[in-house]
Amino acid sequence: VRVGGVDRDYLLDTPAKASGPVPLVIVLHGGGGNARTMTPRWLDTARREGFAVAFPNGVGRNANMGTWNAEGCCGFAMTSGSDDIAFIAAMIDDIARQHRIDQARVYVTGLSNGGMLTYRIGAALAPRIAAMAVVSGAMFGGETPPATPVPVLIMHGEQDDIVPFKGGTSPMALVARSQSKPFREVAYAVDFWRRADGCADKPAVEPKGDITV
């Protein structure tokens, strides 16, 4: 698809047989990755469960090392002002024109830099997104709340040494150089979406071994 004068591309896998419109899951790779790095994690599940899955490519100086413009990170996508929100919206439209997609069941998930863009997509395209999941992503502060609530699953390890759980500058020099703003702590993202989604002020905390839900 062409967005803002730039050709963008994605990989798509759809069910071989479907009796009606199918859900679409959009999977965003991490910084320095590309669409193909995410396919082994998702294709078997998508084919078994009968949903379509799209793997968009970020942009970078190297075609195999893409990044996403999360506004506070990362790399070429951020410094070039890549309009990744418009790209994802155009990609959804492109897929819907060619395939039987249930547009009430469009989901987005992302890893690291892809998770950062997932937060932006959830806020900017809220009426089009049924739910989202973020793995090791971050927000940067000052975001505009979504127009409608978006269910969100946030997964982040306390010992993450690339995108720190407590925020700030990445301990990894390569990532730190790709930041224009410090990461906000995970608690900021949780609180932002709790308020946006109208959840209770007091969260329920449930320890499960080494994991807190």
Side-chain angles (χ1 to χ4, degrees):
V1 294
R2 192 164 182 81
V3 179
V6 179
D7 289 328
R8 304 294 300 268
D9 61 275
Y10 62 92
L11 302 178
L12 178 70
D13 190 79
T14 58
K17 295 181 180 179
S19 58
V22 298
L24 170 66
V25 175
I26 300 165
V27 179
L28 303 174
H29 62 76
N34 59 71
R36 292 192 182 279
T37 62
M38 302 302 286
T39 58
R41 307 167 189 255
W42 281 90
L43 283 181
D44 288 346
T45 301
R47 291 169 181 174
R48 182 178 67 248
E49 301 296 335
F51 60 84
V53 58
F55 305 93
N57 271 307
V59 295
R61 300 186 188 282
N62 182 318
N64 292 319
M65 297 182 66
T67 52
W68 303 106
N69 180 11
E71 293 196 326
C73 190
C74 291
F76 182 81
M78 179 187 67
T79 58
S80 65
S82 179
D83 195 345
D84 292 326
I85 302 295
F87 167 42
I88 297 303
M91 183 189 74
I92 295 171
D93 292 339
D94 192 52
I95 294 170
R97 279 193 296 268
Q98 302 178 64
H99 303 275
R100 297 188 69 192
I101 299 298
D102 183 347
Q103 295 200 55
R105 292 189 292 168
V106 175
Y107 305 87
V108 60
T109 184
L111 169 67
S112 193
N113 183 208
M116 299 172 202
L117 183 63
T118 297
Y119 281 133
R120 289 195 63 210
I121 292 169
L125 303 181
R128 307 187 68 179
I129 303 300
M132 62 182 184
V134 175
V135 181
S136 299
M139 298 178 73
F140 298 91
E143 293 87 359
T144 300
T148 57
V150 181
V152 56
L153 173 63
I154 298 172
M155 293 170 279
H156 208 117
E158 290 183 332
Q159 298 182 42
D160 193 321
D161 58 0
I162 298 176
V163 183
F165 188 86
K166 293 185 178 180
T169 301
S170 175
M172 180 177 284
L174 177 64
V175 176
R177 290 195 298 270
S178 296
Q179 291 181 245
S180 64
K181 299 177 183 178
F183 300 129
R184 294 299 304 264
E185 65 278 12
V186 174
Y188 170 86
V190 172
D191 190 58
F192 177 93
W193 289 100
R194 177 189 62 78
R195 288 182 283 106
D197 291 344
C199 299
D201 289 339
K202 187 176 181 180
V205 178
E206 183 180 346
K208 293 186 177 182
D210 293 336
I211 300 172
T212 300
V213 180

